[in-house]
């Protein structure tokens, strides 16, 4: 199944069921007004979605206007972002001569969750001097997860999979990291591709809690990278178990993979500027790739020509415009 959220003037939007081709859809109706409400009533949602899908198959669906779609979850209760690709961490540690983080547990922080941007709207930010960067990630949406849920039971709590861009301000991050209190200014709102898909929609590309697809990034129309989500050191079920060790997770919790990164970066590229700059520092002694400027466009897609999740295609714009 594939869901989207249409702007209807409310904070949570209107929930749509979307056809497999991503072109047609129908509202889920008053019993399932939005995704945040519906994720907590998953079994009933699935049953009703089958009826709506049959209506779409009969030709009752309407053509979806991509510009009318907002983030599948425009706001939610919790956003927890992991760092499950060890190659990304290794490159950053090597380039900046940081000691390795001594832990055998997944890395994770809690970020901004009251706002997620659509995949097409301008990304408004205060200053180019903050070193604007993107981070291509996959993420999952959970239902209610009990405290202490083990990894071998966590898979059953994964309801939806997302493609997102975790925007980062690299000039701000070092000062916040030194405080030990976590991110505030360095992590603005994430952008999310329009379609939230169920794991079964991935078929054999959903393996051991991993999205085994390349995540393609373009900057101003030029290829930047297409590393695969398969290289996670921890699957999403492991990340869920880590997050739920001492607390429950409410339905609608989003958990991110962290920056998708592969060891064969020389051929597949990267999904963030900071990683490319780290590679340049290691190879050439200094970075060459600049951070983003106002007016730059970033596009992200994954799978089936980009139709699976829809696309993120956004322009970076100044706060003062």
């Amino acid at each position: 199944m594939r869901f989207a959220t249409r702007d209807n003037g409310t904070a949570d939007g209107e929930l749509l069921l979307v056809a497999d081709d991503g072109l047609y859809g129908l509202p889920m109706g008053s019993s399932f007004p939005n995704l945040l409400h519906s994720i907590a009533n998953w079994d009933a949602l699935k049953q009703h979605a089958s009826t709506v899908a049959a209506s779409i198959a009969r030709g009752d669906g309407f053509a979806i206007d991509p510009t009318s779609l907002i983030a599948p979850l425009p706001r939610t209760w919790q956003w927890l972002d992991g760092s499950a690709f060890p190659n990304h961490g290794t490159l950053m540690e090597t380039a900046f001569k940081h000691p390795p983080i001594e832990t055998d547990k997944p890395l994770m922080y809690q970020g901004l969750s009251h706002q997620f941007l659509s995949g097409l709207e301008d990304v408004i930010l205060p200053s180019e001097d903050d070193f604007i960067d993107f981070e291509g990630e996959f993420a999952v949406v959970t239902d209610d997860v009990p405290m202490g849920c083990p990894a071998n039971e966590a898979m059953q709590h994964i309801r939806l999979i997302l493609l997102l861009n975790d925007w980062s301000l690299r000039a701000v991050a070092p000062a916040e990291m030194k405080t030990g209190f976590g991110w505030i200014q360095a992590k603005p709102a994430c952008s999310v591709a329009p379609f939230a898909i169920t794991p079964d929609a991935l078929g054999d590309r959903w393996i051991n809690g991993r999205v085994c697809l390349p995540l393609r990034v373009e900057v101003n129309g030029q290829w930047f990278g297409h590393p695969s989500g398969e290289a996670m050191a921890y699957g999403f079920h492991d990340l869920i178990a880590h997050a739920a060790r001492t607390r429950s997770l409410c339905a609608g919790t989003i958990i991110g993979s962290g920056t998708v990164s592969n060891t064969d970066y020389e051929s597949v590229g990267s999904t963030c500027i900071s990683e490319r700059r780290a590679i340049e520092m290691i190879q050439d002694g200094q970075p060459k790739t600049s951070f983003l400027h106002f007016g730059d466009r970033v596009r992200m897609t994954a799978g089936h020509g980009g139709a699976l999740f829809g696309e993120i295609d956004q322009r970076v714009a100044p706060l003062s415009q």
Side-chain angles (χ1 to χ4, degrees):
M1 291 187 293
R2 190 184 319 202
F3 296 97
T5 296
R6 182 167 59 175
D7 187 5
N8 66 350
T10 68
D12 298 307
E14 178 186 33
L15 182 61
L16 308 178
L17 184 71
V18 179
D20 290 343
D21 60 11
L23 300 177
Y24 297 91
L26 278 175
M28 287 293 291
S30 59
S31 296
F32 304 94
N34 57 67
L35 189 54
L36 186 58
H37 165 85
S38 301
I39 200 78
N41 300 278
W42 187 256
D43 289 340
L45 174 72
K46 282 179 59 179
Q47 184 174 357
H48 183 61
S50 297
T51 301
V52 177
S55 295
I56 296 173
R58 289 195 300 268
D60 296 335
F62 59 81
I64 291 178
D65 175 8
T67 64
S68 72
L69 302 181
I70 53 181
L73 279 168
R75 60 177 181 172
T76 194
W77 305 111
Q78 189 164 225
W79 155 236
L80 303 173
D81 195 15
S83 182
F85 292 88
N87 181 68
H88 179 71
T90 298
L91 287 171
M92 303 305 286
E93 290 166 358
T94 302
F96 294 99
K97 298 179 171 59
H98 292 160
I101 298 173
E102 299 294 341
T103 181
D104 59 354
K105 297 179 174 59
L107 302 176
M108 186 174 287
Y109 73 90
Q110 185 161 349
L112 181 159
S113 62
H114 73 271
Q115 178 189 26
F116 290 88
L117 306 177
S118 80
L120 297 181
E121 67 183 290
D122 285 353
V123 179
I124 309 300
L125 294 169
S127 174
E128 291 181 351
D129 294 338
D130 290 335
F131 295 170
I132 302 166
D133 198 359
F134 49 85
E135 293 185 47
E137 302 192 21
F138 294 109
V140 297
V141 184
T142 75
D143 62 8
D144 290 306
V145 181
M147 182 192 303
C149 177
N152 62 1
E153 296 178 12
M155 289 286 281
Q156 67 190 25
H157 294 287
I158 297 173
R159 296 309 187 196
L160 295 166
I161 303 170
L162 308 173
L163 168 66
L164 61 82
N165 183 352
D166 177 29
W167 293 97
S168 296
L169 303 178
R170 301 299 187 183
V172 181
E176 290 195 318
M177 291 174 68
K178 289 178 182 177
T179 68
F181 276 79
W183 313 110
I184 295 294
Q185 295 177 351
K187 288 290 186 178
C190 298
S191 302
V192 188
F195 302 141
I197 67 172
T198 51
D200 63 284
L202 281 174
D204 61 4
R205 296 304 186 98
W206 176 245
I207 302 172
N208 197 24
R210 293 159 172 83
V211 180
C212 300
L213 288 171
L215 195 165
R216 182 177 178 86
V217 180
E218 299 173 9
V219 179
N220 296 325
Q222 299 297 311
W223 174 87
F224 196 90
H226 63 269
S228 172
E230 187 174 1
M232 291 173 72
Y234 298 96
F236 278 110
H237 54 306
D238 299 308
L239 298 182
I240 292 169
H242 175 73
R245 179 177 176 270
T246 62
R247 57 175 168 173
S248 62
L249 308 179
C250 58
T253 295
I254 301 177
I255 295 182
S257 66
T259 307
V260 176
S261 179
N262 294 174
T263 55
D264 54 342
Y265 50 81
E266 291 190 3
S267 59
V268 303
S270 300
T271 63
C272 77
I273 294 173
S274 187
E275 180 174 299
R276 176 179 280 189
R277 286 169 61 89
I279 294 167
E280 292 166 347
M281 291 170 65
I282 294 167
Q283 294 179 342
D284 306 319
Q286 61 182 0
K288 294 179 290 187
T289 302
S290 65
F291 291 105
L292 296 175
H293 301 287
F294 293 137
D296 286 343
R297 298 195 71 90
V298 178
R299 183 173 185 265
M300 295 184 182
T301 56
H304 306 302
L308 190 60
F309 296 94
E311 67 177 12
I312 296 172
D313 187 3
Q314 296 177 291
R315 182 176 69 100
V316 182
L319 178 62
S320 57
Q321 81 169 15

